[in-house]
Amino acid sequence: MLVTGALGAVGRSAIFAARARGAHIWAGVRKKQVEEARKLGVDGVVALDDPKDVAKLPTLDAVADTVGGEAVAAVLGKVKHGGTVGSVVGEPKGAKEKGLVVRSFMAHPDAHRLSQLAESAAKGDLVIPISRTFKLDDAREAQKVAEQSGVVKVLLVN
């Protein structure tokens, strides 16, 4: 399977969940992020903004889409007929027309799963890098920093 936006928090979480289920995983990122994505320990990395790189992808059983738009559109032709596209950003244009099963995911409260993820993070099995930490009173500045980069994660503490 391919995870788009693999370096983001949702992408990293998707990789963690897929790995726990024994999936072979490709990380989909921007060309400038390829080297960083190799550190994720996935089976392969593809630059979604490089058509030549996308062309080298094998046939995929599934895509976990965390970014939508051109990134997922670039790989739909690589998903086998009847394959699955799971998306947190809505149904990708053209997916059903290509014979793909589309599943949209939304966050929902699940205390048990959150506890499992917290335990995995505490053990270092699930890693979401934090670039900067801010006091809660500095939330406005934290938001500005977070908006300046699609991969930077900030943490608010009290």
Side-chain angles (χ1 to χ4, degrees):
M1 76 175 290
L2 171 78
V3 176
T4 65
L7 288 175
V10 177
R12 287 172 186 267
S13 298
I15 289 171
F16 176 79
R19 184 177 287 134
R21 287 163 179 76
H24 294 281
I25 307 161
W26 280 77
V29 295
R30 294 182 185 115
K31 193 183 310 187
K32 66 182 181 182
Q33 299 170 319
V34 166
E35 289 309 312
E36 184 66 24
R38 292 190 201 288
K39 298 174 187 175
L40 295 172
V42 294
D43 297 292
V45 177
V46 61
L48 298 174
D49 54 350
D50 181 347
K52 290 180 183 176
D53 209 24
V54 171
K56 296 176 188 175
L57 271 173
T59 300
L60 301 166
D61 293 317
V63 173
D65 176 35
T66 72
V67 295
E70 291 178 20
V72 73
V75 298
L76 289 181
K78 290 295 191 169
V79 182
K80 72 178 183 181
H81 185 78
T84 302
V85 178
S87 178
V88 297
V89 292
E91 183 177 319
K93 196 177 273 188
K96 286 188 177 175
E97 293 78 4
K98 292 183 184 300
L100 306 177
V101 176
V102 178
R103 302 198 189 279
S104 294
F105 294 92
M106 299 296 289
H108 64 278
D110 184 338
H112 178 71
R113 183 66 182 136
L114 185 59
S115 176
Q116 289 175 325
L117 291 170
E119 185 177 312
S120 295
K123 291 190 307 189
D125 296 335
L126 172 61
V127 177
I128 310 290
I130 305 298
S131 298
R132 289 193 52 196
T133 302
F134 292 88
K135 294 282 187 188
L136 193 54
D137 291 343
D138 297 324
R140 184 177 305 215
E141 182 184 352
Q143 182 66 33
K144 287 179 186 175
V145 169
E147 288 175 355
Q148 289 173 354
S149 171
V151 179
V152 169
K153 301 297 175 224
V154 298
L155 179 65
L156 292 173
V157 294
N158 194 0

